[in-house]
Amino acid sequence: MPGNSQRRGAGGNKAGKFAGKGSAAGSGGRVRRGLRGRGPTPRAEDRPYHKAYKDKQQRTTKQQGRPGAGGSRPGAGSGQGSRGAGPEWVIGRNPVLEALHAGLPVRTAYIAEGAEHDSRLREILSYAADHNMPMLQTTRGELDRMTGGAVHQGVAIRMPEYEYAAVDDLIAAGTESPHGGLIVALDKVTDPRNLGAVIRSAAAFGAQGVLIPSRRSASMTAAAWKSSAGAAARVPVAMASNLNQALAKLAKTGYTIVGLAGEADADIADTHGLDGPLVLVIGSEGEGMSRLTREHCDQVASIPITGIESLNASVAASIALYEVARARA
């Protein structure tokens, strides 16, 4: 049929055009090499030029503007200090490489078009290929916008938004513990590295979870994930809108609330109730526990030290948890 012949002929001319200059038709592996290390196609909401991405950004902005809105809070303990780089971002070649080796969860990796390939970027690309990590190429300007103008060196990764547990989840987990549950509560601890280190100690000594307030507290940022050395994937972190109300609820369910304070007369090793359902409250190194939090404690104990005035919050938590483990042995 003449119509079909014409269509076939047109297709043949097209193939001949690309196959000219003495080479066979095809990409010669160029497309395959270009896709190497990219991983699976990111979701629509992770692609900067997609409408779903822009819609989600607008929803997030509105949610963050509401008082008491939960979830991740951009800039809270992220160390980025810029508008677009929230706590779920890791920016720069060395930080990204360290985050990958530390096992941080990755939602999407972004690489700027034309980024200079050095040994670090090649290692990032190799890691992405080996671990089937989603990777998206974008313009340098768009990456600037997403990261709030931070020095990203052409590469950044975005972690998934952390899903906080509820206080009831920790209580339920405690009922399955031989001693009725162990929870570490943090009051005014604002360094995410301290939070991560506390999570690591909580995992080491069998705690069912860590409790933090939603305000004036470190949250689960990339720095916290890294400091936890993987323990954040095993130990739940609960966020309470009001820490004191959460402590009161735990007390009603049978938990003993023990707070650490450097000036307390009682030694943590001699404190009663360590072998039963227990909430260990740790305050910040500089200010300690707030007055209201202290009032919710059944007992206040100290760790005997000499030569310095106070211990880092995560160090104090580790020593106290060790004493709790001894009491329960």
Side-chain angles (χ1 to χ4, degrees), residues 102-105 159-160 162 192 196 220-234:
L104 269 68
M159 298 168 52
Y162 185 80
M220 284 305 299
T221 66
W225 268 100
K226 185 177 177 182
S227 297
S228 77
R234 305 190 304 274

Side-chain angles (χ1 to χ4, degrees), residues 255-269:
Y255 279 78
T256 299
I257 315 296
V258 175
L260 288 185
E263 72 281 3
D265 295 329
D267 189 321
I268 183 64

Side-chain angles (χ1 to χ4, degrees), residues 99-117:
L100 295 179
H101 288 314
L104 269 68
V106 177
R107 176 175 173 177
T108 310
Y110 295 91
I111 291 186
E113 296 173 352
E116 181 182 353
H117 282 230

Side-chain angles (χ1 to χ4, degrees), residues 82-104:
S82 50
R83 178 171 48 85
E88 73 276 14
W89 285 93
V90 181
I91 298 165
R93 300 190 180 194
N94 282 337
V96 165
L97 197 54
E98 292 174 4
L100 295 179
H101 288 314
L104 269 68

Side-chain angles (χ1 to χ4, degrees), residues 150-172:
V151 182
H152 50 68
Q153 299 174 305
V155 63
I157 59 175
R158 188 177 186 182
M159 298 168 52
E161 185 175 347
Y162 185 80
E163 295 184 7
Y164 291 96
V167 176
D168 288 340
D169 296 328
L170 303 189
I171 294 173

